[in-house]
Structure formats: C-alpha cells, structure tokens
PDB file of all heavy atoms in Angstrom:
ATOM      1  N   LEU A  82    -173.425  15.776 -71.602  1.00 92.00           N
ATOM      2  CA  LEU A  82    -172.034  15.313 -71.687  1.00 92.00           C
ATOM      3  C   LEU A  82    -171.063  16.483 -71.823  1.00 92.00           C
ATOM      4  O   LEU A  82    -169.947  16.429 -71.308  1.00 92.00           O
ATOM      5  CB  LEU A  82    -171.871  14.326 -72.844  1.00 92.00           C
ATOM      6  CG  LEU A  82    -172.656  13.013 -72.703  1.00 92.00           C
ATOM      7  CD1 LEU A  82    -172.567  12.194 -73.984  1.00 92.00           C
ATOM      8  CD2 LEU A  82    -172.173  12.206 -71.509  1.00 92.00           C
ATOM      9  N   LYS A  83    -171.469  17.546 -72.499  1.00 93.00           N
ATOM     10  CA  LYS A  83    -170.623  18.731 -72.648  1.00 93.00           C
ATOM     11  C   LYS A  83    -170.512  19.529 -71.356  1.00 93.00           C
ATOM     12  O   LYS A  83    -169.603  20.329 -71.197  1.00 93.00           O
ATOM     13  CB  LYS A  83    -171.163  19.640 -73.759  1.00 93.00           C
ATOM     14  CG  LYS A  83    -170.952  19.084 -75.143  1.00 93.00           C
ATOM     15  CD  LYS A  83    -171.553  19.995 -76.197  1.00 93.00           C
ATOM     16  CE  LYS A  83    -171.441  19.365 -77.572  1.00 93.00           C
ATOM     17  NZ  LYS A  83    -172.131  20.156 -78.601  1.00 93.00           N
ATOM     18  N   SER A  84    -171.423  19.287 -70.420  1.00 92.00           N
ATOM     19  CA  SER A  84    -171.427  20.054 -69.171  1.00 92.00           C
ATOM     20  C   SER A  84    -170.285  19.664 -68.243  1.00 92.00           C
ATOM     21  O   SER A  84    -170.077  20.287 -67.222  1.00 92.00           O
ATOM     22  CB  SER A  84    -172.764  19.880 -68.443  1.00 92.00           C
ATOM     23  OG  SER A  84    -172.879  18.566 -67.945  1.00 92.00           O
ATOM     24  N   LYS A  85    -169.570  18.621 -68.593  1.00 82.00           N
ATOM     25  CA  LYS A  85    -168.387  18.163 -67.838  1.00 82.00           C
ATOM     26  C   LYS A  85    -168.723  17.725 -66.412  1.00 82.00           C
ATOM     27  O   LYS A  85    -167.924  17.866 -65.502  1.00 82.00           O
ATOM     28  CB  LYS A  85    -167.300  19.247 -67.815  1.00 82.00           C
ATOM     29  CG  LYS A  85    -166.841  19.714 -69.179  1.00 82.00           C
ATOM     30  CD  LYS A  85    -166.175  18.609 -69.936  1.00 82.00           C
ATOM     31  CE  LYS A  85    -165.658  19.148 -71.270  1.00 82.00           C
ATOM     32  NZ  LYS A  85    -165.326  18.137 -72.210  1.00 82.00           N
ATOM     33  N   ILE A  86    -169.937  17.199 -66.235  1.00 85.00           N
ATOM     34  CA  ILE A  86    -170.294  16.623 -64.941  1.00 85.00           C
ATOM     35  C   ILE A  86    -169.449  15.374 -64.747  1.00 85.00           C
ATOM     36  O   ILE A  86    -169.263  14.585 -65.666  1.00 85.00           O
ATOM     37  CB  ILE A  86    -171.794  16.288 -64.879  1.00 85.00           C
ATOM     38  CG1 ILE A  86    -172.606  17.582 -64.934  1.00 85.00           C
ATOM     39  CG2 ILE A  86    -172.149  15.466 -63.644  1.00 85.00           C
ATOM     40  CD1 ILE A  86    -174.098  17.382 -65.046  1.00 85.00           C
ATOM     41  N   SER A  87    -168.926  15.189 -63.572  1.00 85.00           N
ATOM     42  CA  SER A  87    -168.058  14.049 -63.283  1.00 85.00           C
ATOM     43  C   SER A  87    -168.791  12.732 -63.510  1.00 85.00           C
ATOM     44  O   SER A  87    -169.929  12.564 -63.054  1.00 85.00           O
ATOM     45  CB  SER A  87    -167.567  14.120 -61.837  1.00 85.00           C
ATOM     46  OG  SER A  87    -166.906  12.920 -61.495  1.00 85.00           O
ATOM     47  N   PRO A  88    -168.156  11.774 -64.177  1.00 84.00           N
ATOM     48  CA  PRO A  88    -168.782  10.464 -64.407  1.00 84.00           C
ATOM     49  C   PRO A  88    -169.113   9.698 -63.128  1.00 84.00           C
ATOM     50  O   PRO A  88    -169.904   8.761 -63.162  1.00 84.00           O
ATOM     51  CB  PRO A  88    -167.750   9.704 -65.230  1.00 84.00           C
ATOM     52  CG  PRO A  88    -166.913  10.755 -65.870  1.00 84.00           C
ATOM     53  CD  PRO A  88    -166.893  11.906 -64.900  1.00 84.00           C
ATOM     54  N   VAL A  89    -168.524  10.090 -62.008  1.00 86.00           N
ATOM     55  CA  VAL A  89    -168.864   9.422 -60.742  1.00 86.00           C
ATOM     56  C   VAL A  89    -170.143  10.004 -60.133  1.00 86.00           C
ATOM     57  O   VAL A  89    -170.677   9.453 -59.178  1.00 86.00           O
ATOM     58  CB  VAL A  89    -167.698   9.480 -59.726  1.00 86.00           C
ATOM     59  CG1 VAL A  89    -166.489   8.740 -60.247  1.00 86.00           C
ATOM     60  CG2 VAL A  89    -167.364  10.905 -59.355  1.00 86.00           C
ATOM     61  N   ASN A  90    -170.626  11.102 -60.702  1.00 87.00           N
ATOM     62  CA  ASN A  90    -171.848  11.741 -60.231  1.00 87.00           C
ATOM     63  C   ASN A  90    -173.045  10.831 -60.493  1.00 87.00           C
ATOM     64  O   ASN A  90    -173.119  10.148 -61.503  1.00 87.00           O
ATOM     65  CB  ASN A  90    -172.021  13.082 -60.957  1.00 87.00           C
ATOM     66  CG  ASN A  90    -173.123  13.926 -60.380  1.00 87.00           C
ATOM     67  OD1 ASN A  90    -174.268  13.510 -60.349  1.00 87.00           O
ATOM     68  ND2 ASN A  90    -172.771  15.121 -59.942  1.00 87.00           N
ATOM     69  N   THR A  91    -173.999  10.846 -59.593  1.00 88.00           N
ATOM     70  CA  THR A  91    -175.204  10.026 -59.708  1.00 88.00           C
ATOM     71  C   THR A  91    -175.955  10.286 -61.010  1.00 88.00           C
ATOM     72  O   THR A  91    -176.589   9.390 -61.551  1.00 88.00           O
ATOM     73  CB  THR A  91    -176.134  10.280 -58.504  1.00 88.00           C
ATOM     74  OG1 THR A  91    -175.401  10.048 -57.310  1.00 88.00           O
ATOM     75  CG2 THR A  91    -177.333   9.393 -58.525  1.00 88.00           C
ATOM     76  N   ALA A  92    -175.870  11.491 -61.530  1.00 88.00           N
ATOM     77  CA  ALA A  92    -176.582  11.822 -62.765  1.00 88.00           C
ATOM     78  C   ALA A  92    -176.175  10.907 -63.922  1.00 88.00           C
ATOM     79  O   ALA A  92    -176.973  10.636 -64.808  1.00 88.00           O
ATOM     80  CB  ALA A  92    -176.332  13.281 -63.138  1.00 88.00           C
ATOM     81  N   TYR A  93    -174.953  10.433 -63.899  1.00 87.00           N
ATOM     82  CA  TYR A  93    -174.487   9.537 -64.963  1.00 87.00           C
ATOM     83  C   TYR A  93    -175.173   8.182 -64.923  1.00 87.00           C
ATOM     84  O   TYR A  93    -175.096   7.412 -65.877  1.00 87.00           O
ATOM     85  CB  TYR A  93    -172.969   9.346 -64.882  1.00 87.00           C
ATOM     86  CG  TYR A  93    -172.221  10.215 -65.850  1.00 87.00           C
ATOM     87  CD1 TYR A  93    -171.849  11.505 -65.516  1.00 87.00           C
ATOM     88  CD2 TYR A  93    -171.900   9.754 -67.120  1.00 87.00           C
ATOM     89  CE1 TYR A  93    -171.177  12.307 -66.403  1.00 87.00           C
ATOM     90  CE2 TYR A  93    -171.228  10.548 -68.025  1.00 87.00           C
ATOM     91  CZ  TYR A  93    -170.868  11.826 -67.655  1.00 87.00           C
ATOM     92  OH  TYR A  93    -170.207  12.620 -68.553  1.00 87.00           O
ATOM     93  N   LYS A  94    -175.854   7.869 -63.827  1.00 89.00           N
ATOM     94  CA  LYS A  94    -176.518   6.577 -63.695  1.00 89.00           C
ATOM     95  C   LYS A  94    -177.937   6.583 -64.253  1.00 89.00           C
ATOM     96  O   LYS A  94    -178.607   5.558 -64.253  1.00 89.00           O
ATOM     97  CB  LYS A  94    -176.532   6.146 -62.226  1.00 89.00           C
ATOM     98  CG  LYS A  94    -175.133   5.898 -61.696  1.00 89.00           C
ATOM     99  CD  LYS A  94    -175.149   5.524 -60.245  1.00 89.00           C
ATOM    100  CE  LYS A  94    -173.722   5.381 -59.754  1.00 89.00           C
ATOM    101  NZ  LYS A  94    -173.641   5.123 -58.335  1.00 89.00           N
ATOM    102  N   MET A  95    -178.391   7.742 -64.731  1.00 94.00           N
ATOM    103  CA  MET A  95    -179.729   7.812 -65.310  1.00 94.00           C
ATOM    104  C   MET A  95    -179.824   6.872 -66.503  1.00 94.00           C
ATOM    105  O   MET A  95    -178.892   6.783 -67.311  1.00 94.00           O
ATOM    106  CB  MET A  95    -180.049   9.238 -65.784  1.00 94.00           C
ATOM    107  CG  MET A  95    -180.300  10.211 -64.678  1.00 94.00           C
ATOM    108  SD  MET A  95    -180.854  11.825 -65.282  1.00 94.00           S
ATOM    109  CE  MET A  95    -179.408  12.403 -66.140  1.00 94.00           C
ATOM    110  N   ILE A  96    -180.960   6.197 -66.595  1.00 96.00           N
ATOM    111  CA  ILE A  96    -181.168   5.310 -67.736  1.00 96.00           C
ATOM    112  C   ILE A  96    -181.132   6.142 -69.010  1.00 96.00           C
ATOM    113  O   ILE A  96    -181.800   7.155 -69.127  1.00 96.00           O
ATOM    114  CB  ILE A  96    -182.517   4.565 -67.608  1.00 96.00           C
ATOM    115  CG1 ILE A  96    -182.481   3.636 -66.400  1.00 96.00           C
ATOM    116  CG2 ILE A  96    -182.836   3.800 -68.892  1.00 96.00           C
ATOM    117  CD1 ILE A  96    -183.806   2.987 -66.073  1.00 96.00           C
ATOM    118  N   GLY A  97    -180.311   5.712 -69.943  1.00 96.00           N
ATOM    119  CA  GLY A  97    -180.224   6.378 -71.241  1.00 96.00           C
ATOM    120  C   GLY A  97    -178.918   7.120 -71.463  1.00 96.00           C
ATOM    121  O   GLY A  97    -178.475   7.250 -72.603  1.00 96.00           O
ATOM    122  N   ILE A  98    -178.298   7.604 -70.409  1.00 95.00           N
ATOM    123  CA  ILE A  98    -177.055   8.366 -70.568  1.00 95.00           C
ATOM    124  C   ILE A  98    -175.976   7.496 -71.219  1.00 95.00           C
ATOM    125  O   ILE A  98    -175.397   7.865 -72.239  1.00 95.00           O
ATOM    126  CB  ILE A  98    -176.558   8.936 -69.222  1.00 95.00           C
ATOM    127  CG1 ILE A  98    -177.578   9.913 -68.623  1.00 95.00           C
ATOM    128  CG2 ILE A  98    -175.183   9.580 -69.374  1.00 95.00           C
ATOM    129  CD1 ILE A  98    -177.758  11.192 -69.411  1.00 95.00           C
ATOM    130  N   LEU A  99    -175.712   6.347 -70.643  1.00 94.00           N
ATOM    131  CA  LEU A  99    -174.671   5.456 -71.167  1.00 94.00           C
ATOM    132  C   LEU A  99    -175.002   4.992 -72.582  1.00 94.00           C
ATOM    133  O   LEU A  99    -174.134   5.007 -73.468  1.00 94.00           O
ATOM    134  CB  LEU A  99    -174.508   4.243 -70.252  1.00 94.00           C
ATOM    135  CG  LEU A  99    -173.577   3.133 -70.753  1.00 94.00           C
ATOM    136  CD1 LEU A  99    -172.144   3.650 -70.831  1.00 94.00           C
ATOM    137  CD2 LEU A  99    -173.662   1.919 -69.842  1.00 94.00           C
ATOM    138  N   GLU A 100    -176.248   4.605 -72.801  1.00 97.00           N
ATOM    139  CA  GLU A 100    -176.642   4.085 -74.102  1.00 97.00           C
ATOM    140  C   GLU A 100    -176.516   5.145 -75.196  1.00 97.00           C
ATOM    141  O   GLU A 100    -175.986   4.861 -76.289  1.00 97.00           O
ATOM    142  CB  GLU A 100    -178.082   3.560 -74.044  1.00 97.00           C
ATOM    143  CG  GLU A 100    -178.270   2.377 -73.124  1.00 97.00           C
ATOM    144  CD  GLU A 100    -178.378   2.715 -71.643  1.00 97.00           C
ATOM    145  OE1 GLU A 100    -178.445   3.910 -71.292  1.00 97.00           O
ATOM    146  OE2 GLU A 100    -178.386   1.772 -70.826  1.00 97.00           O
ATOM    147  N   ILE A 101    -176.960   6.351 -74.907  1.00 97.00           N
ATOM    148  CA  ILE A 101    -176.880   7.420 -75.908  1.00 97.00           C
ATOM    149  C   ILE A 101    -175.436   7.869 -76.087  1.00 97.00           C
ATOM    150  O   ILE A 101    -175.007   8.171 -77.203  1.00 97.00           O
ATOM    151  CB  ILE A 101    -177.830   8.576 -75.555  1.00 97.00           C
ATOM    152  CG1 ILE A 101    -179.280   8.073 -75.662  1.00 97.00           C
ATOM    153  CG2 ILE A 101    -177.594   9.781 -76.459  1.00 97.00           C
ATOM    154  CD1 ILE A 101    -180.325   9.032 -75.163  1.00 97.00           C
ATOM    155  N   ARG A 102    -174.658   7.881 -75.009  1.00 95.00           N
ATOM    156  CA  ARG A 102    -173.232   8.204 -75.139  1.00 95.00           C
ATOM    157  C   ARG A 102    -172.552   7.184 -76.053  1.00 95.00           C
ATOM    158  O   ARG A 102    -171.761   7.558 -76.925  1.00 95.00           O
ATOM    159  CB  ARG A 102    -172.559   8.228 -73.775  1.00 95.00           C
ATOM    160  CG  ARG A 102    -171.099   8.716 -73.870  1.00 95.00           C
ATOM    161  CD  ARG A 102    -170.398   8.640 -72.560  1.00 95.00           C
ATOM    162  NE  ARG A 102    -170.149   7.220 -72.296  1.00 95.00           N
ATOM    163  CZ  ARG A 102    -169.770   6.712 -71.137  1.00 95.00           C
ATOM    164  NH1 ARG A 102    -169.635   7.500 -70.096  1.00 95.00           N
ATOM    165  NH2 ARG A 102    -169.549   5.448 -70.991  1.00 95.00           N
ATOM    166  N   ASN A 103    -172.878   5.907 -75.868  1.00 96.00           N
ATOM    167  CA  ASN A 103    -172.298   4.877 -76.738  1.00 96.00           C
ATOM    168  C   ASN A 103    -172.738   5.050 -78.187  1.00 96.00           C
ATOM    169  O   ASN A 103    -171.969   4.799 -79.111  1.00 96.00           O
ATOM    170  CB  ASN A 103    -172.660   3.483 -76.224  1.00 96.00           C
ATOM    171  CG  ASN A 103    -171.898   3.125 -74.969  1.00 96.00           C
ATOM    172  OD1 ASN A 103    -170.867   3.721 -74.655  1.00 96.00           O
ATOM    173  ND2 ASN A 103    -172.415   2.163 -74.226  1.00 96.00           N
ATOM    174  N   PHE A 104    -173.977   5.491 -78.394  1.00 97.00           N
ATOM    175  CA  PHE A 104    -174.445   5.791 -79.754  1.00 97.00           C
ATOM    176  C   PHE A 104    -173.657   6.963 -80.341  1.00 97.00           C
ATOM    177  O   PHE A 104    -173.195   6.897 -81.483  1.00 97.00           O
ATOM    178  CB  PHE A 104    -175.943   6.104 -79.744  1.00 97.00           C
ATOM    179  CG  PHE A 104    -176.421   6.795 -80.988  1.00 97.00           C
ATOM    180  CD1 PHE A 104    -176.458   6.123 -82.199  1.00 97.00           C
ATOM    181  CD2 PHE A 104    -176.818   8.117 -80.944  1.00 97.00           C
ATOM    182  CE1 PHE A 104    -176.883   6.773 -83.358  1.00 97.00           C
ATOM    183  CE2 PHE A 104    -177.249   8.772 -82.084  1.00 97.00           C
ATOM    184  CZ  PHE A 104    -177.281   8.101 -83.296  1.00 97.00           C
ATOM    185  N   LEU A 105    -173.480   8.012 -79.557  1.00 97.00           N
ATOM    186  CA  LEU A 105    -172.748   9.183 -80.039  1.00 97.00           C
ATOM    187  C   LEU A 105    -171.290   8.861 -80.345  1.00 97.00           C
ATOM    188  O   LEU A 105    -170.687   9.481 -81.225  1.00 97.00           O
ATOM    189  CB  LEU A 105    -172.842  10.322 -79.013  1.00 97.00           C
ATOM    190  CG  LEU A 105    -174.239  10.926 -78.828  1.00 97.00           C
ATOM    191  CD1 LEU A 105    -174.269  11.849 -77.620  1.00 97.00           C
ATOM    192  CD2 LEU A 105    -174.689  11.646 -80.093  1.00 97.00           C
ATOM    193  N   ASN A 106    -170.734   7.890 -79.615  1.00 96.00           N
ATOM    194  CA  ASN A 106    -169.344   7.463 -79.853  1.00 96.00           C
ATOM    195  C   ASN A 106    -169.248   6.385 -80.924  1.00 96.00           C
ATOM    196  O   ASN A 106    -168.174   5.813 -81.124  1.00 96.00           O
ATOM    197  CB  ASN A 106    -168.718   6.945 -78.553  1.00 96.00           C
ATOM    198  CG  ASN A 106    -168.544   8.038 -77.528  1.00 96.00           C
ATOM    199  OD1 ASN A 106    -168.469   9.208 -77.870  1.00 96.00           O
ATOM    200  ND2 ASN A 106    -168.505   7.664 -76.265  1.00 96.00           N
TER     201      ASN A 106
END
C-alpha cells in the first residue's frame, strides 16, 4: 500500500489486499 501502486492496477485485485487494507483502516 505504501508503494503507491494505482488502485486500478490488477495487483489490487489480489485476494487479501482489500481485506487487509480494511483491517489496517
């Protein structure tokens, strides 16, 4: 998340990214 990869990038669709981001927030 700190790497500033664009949220439209396919990497953001990896299972776990959204869930862990929501945990961190």
Side-chain angles (χ1 to χ4, degrees):
L82 296 172
K83 288 178 185 174
S84 70
K85 303 296 183 196
I86 294 173
S87 171
V89 297
N90 190 301
T91 305
Y93 261 87
K94 295 178 184 175
M95 287 186 293
I96 295 173
I98 298 293
L99 173 65
E100 296 80 7
I101 294 172
R102 186 185 73 193
N103 287 341
F104 163 69
L105 293 169
N106 293 336

